[in-house]
Amino acid sequence: MTTASRFPEPYGGQGSGANLADILERVLDKGVVIAGDIRINLLDIELLTVKLRLIVASVDKAKEMGIDWWETDPALSSRARRDELARENAELRERLARLEELSLEPGSAERTGRTPKREAP
């Protein structure tokens, strides 16, 4: 003997889980763009404009569309973080080399305000 459920049947019946997975796979495979603008005006004077863009897609599809900002963001990519540190390190080495060259040039003591070291006779 079966009793009627007090809760309604989910949309699509028993196979709704598979249908949801199929729909999600299609959305991620094709990609979906949702765009909208919000404008707040007072007496025909624009006070605020907010542009909203939402893209739902798989990583592969996003790369196909030319969207790969997460790869260059140091907060999201360890490779980008390493690249940023390497660039900063190279810049600091260049600055240090220039400073060392300046300190070895004749007359550099007058420019830097340092007194040159004198060798003992």
Side-chain angles (χ1 to χ4, degrees), residues 31-104:
V32 173
V33 177
I34 301 170
D37 297 339
I38 299 171
R39 288 195 175 132
I40 298 175
N41 295 339
L42 179 64
L43 300 174
D44 291 331
I45 299 172
E46 190 172 314
L47 299 176
L48 177 68
T49 299
V50 178
K51 294 185 179 243
L52 303 171
R53 305 294 183 260
L54 174 66
I55 298 175
V56 178
S58 67
V59 171
D60 294 332
K61 188 63 178 178
K63 284 183 179 181
E64 284 179 26
M65 295 187 306
I67 302 169
D68 60 355
W69 52 265
W70 62 87
E71 291 181 348
T72 57
D73 188 339
L76 299 173
S77 169
S78 60
R79 183 173 22 136
R81 197 173 309 117
R82 280 193 307 269
D83 292 347
E84 182 181 33
L85 289 173
R87 181 188 49 78
E88 184 179 353
N89 194 1
E91 288 176 3
L92 290 172
R93 287 178 189 264
E94 285 179 26
R95 287 180 62 189
L96 182 60
R98 283 195 307 258
L99 287 172
E100 287 175 344
E101 286 175 10
L102 285 175
S103 68
L104 295 176

